[in-house]
Amino acid sequence: GMKIVSIAVSKKKGTPKIPVERTYLSKDHGLEGDAHAGPWHRQVSLLAMESAVASPTDIPADLTTVAERSGFSRTGRYDEVERLCAAYAARWPDRVRCLEFGRTPENRPMLALVASGDGLLDPAANRERGRPVVYFQGGIHAGEIDGKDAGFVALRELLEGRVSPDALERTTVLFVPVFHVDGHERFGAWNRPNQRGPEEMGWRTTAQNLNLNRDHAKADAPEMRALLGLLNAWDPILYADLHVTNGAE
């Protein structure tokens, strides 16, 4: 039998369809609120999952990751994070802010993306409005880097309305793609030999040989002190720290 997993409508023809929680299917009309509904031959389109899910070819190249383009066999270097942070802010100037919140011991920028559906892109505005902030980060252990790539995809789909429509109208998202930046650039194929992909990845400890995931309380690392400043400013209600479980065989 056939199972319906999602319903989507578009307000105007030629624009991406946005998922909705519920709508009404009217006889000889189609879906209420959809631009394609009306007294003509095609009122509703049924799509298989394979064609309904966006592929990298459906997305502007400057918004895709090396991971997507390689079938998730590779991950990009840190210059990709810098490029995507700027590209997201350029694509959604009223909804995304790319900010630098610190520098690493090797003088690399520590970057975060702030996303909001109605332009609440600074801590003071969020506090004034009482808007909850959700924080998620990738790469505290830079060899476990899936969260960086998945985070860019998830944030893009939120901004495009492909998932959780209107979530950004009620919540501000703060995303640090790579927390451990210097370790991310200590790239190698054998940094985690028991891990199934990507082909190359970063290193666990910092340039000062500190494990950032053991530093929240003592804050020896300048990276951690920069992050604590970011968290104190934004005061998120949820902190998601994205790790990898190796997939070891």
Side-chain angles (χ1 to χ4, degrees):
M2 183 176 65
K3 179 181 179 182
I4 297 174
V5 297
S6 179
I7 302 172
V9 301
S10 52
K11 300 294 184 182
K12 295 181 180 179
K13 292 183 179 180
T15 61
K17 290 188 176 293
I18 298 174
V20 294
E21 292 184 3
R22 60 172 62 88
T23 186
Y24 295 96
L25 177 61
S26 301
K27 184 178 179 180
D28 297 325
H29 178 76
L31 294 173
E32 296 293 335
D34 185 58
H36 297 84
W40 37 73
H41 68 285
R42 193 187 73 175
Q43 298 164 341
V44 177
S45 298
L46 300 178
L47 301 178
M49 278 291 293
E50 291 80 5
S51 61
V53 176
S55 70
T57 58
D58 301 324
I59 302 160
D62 64 336
L63 300 180
T64 62
T65 63
V66 167
E68 292 171 277
R69 297 193 297 274
S70 67
F72 294 92
S73 64
R74 293 184 290 117
T75 191
R77 301 296 293 263
Y78 195 67
D79 60 352
E80 177 183 64
V81 172
E82 296 179 85
R83 178 183 63 78
L84 286 173
C85 193
Y88 275 46
R91 173 67 178 81
W92 295 284
D94 298 326
R95 304 173 68 199
V96 177
R97 176 185 169 202
C98 175
L99 63 90
E100 179 180 325
F101 64 93
R103 305 290 293 192
T104 71
E106 295 183 344
N107 200 34
R108 294 186 176 95
M110 301 179 70
L111 299 177
L113 292 90
V114 185
S116 167
D118 54 2
L120 292 184
L121 300 176
D122 67 83
N126 275 269
R127 284 194 299 272
E128 183 178 342
R129 189 76 64 85
R131 172 70 58 80
V133 176
V134 172
Y135 170 77
F136 63 108
Q137 71 182 24
I140 192 171
H141 289 152
E144 306 170 36
I145 204 56
D146 301 35
K148 173 194 69 176
D149 297 316
F152 273 120
V153 173
L155 184 57
R156 188 183 67 224
E157 292 194 345
L158 277 171
L159 288 161
E160 292 176 337
R162 294 180 183 271
V163 296
S164 302
D166 301 326
L168 290 176
E169 305 294 334
R170 303 186 299 272
T171 307
T172 296
V173 170
L174 181 63
F175 172 42
V176 172
V178 180
F179 176 26
H180 180 15
V181 179
D182 289 344
H184 184 278
E185 291 304 274
R186 188 176 170 182
F187 231 51
W190 301 104
N191 287 347
R192 291 176 65 82
N194 293 325
Q195 183 170 291
R196 299 179 60 188
E199 293 173 2
E200 294 181 285
M201 71 287 289
W203 189 251
R204 187 176 183 86
T205 55
T206 71
Q208 299 175 314
N209 203 33
L210 295 171
N211 184 336
L212 292 176
N213 202 36
R214 308 293 185 269
D215 199 40
H216 288 84
K218 52 190 179 67
D220 288 334
E223 296 100 322
M224 182 57 72
R225 294 193 291 272
L227 178 66
L228 292 175
L230 182 75
L231 295 175
N232 286 335
W234 286 90
D235 193 22
I237 63 167
L238 176 67
Y239 184 135
D241 186 15
L242 307 176
H243 287 255
V244 175
T245 58
N246 295 350
E249 292 180 332

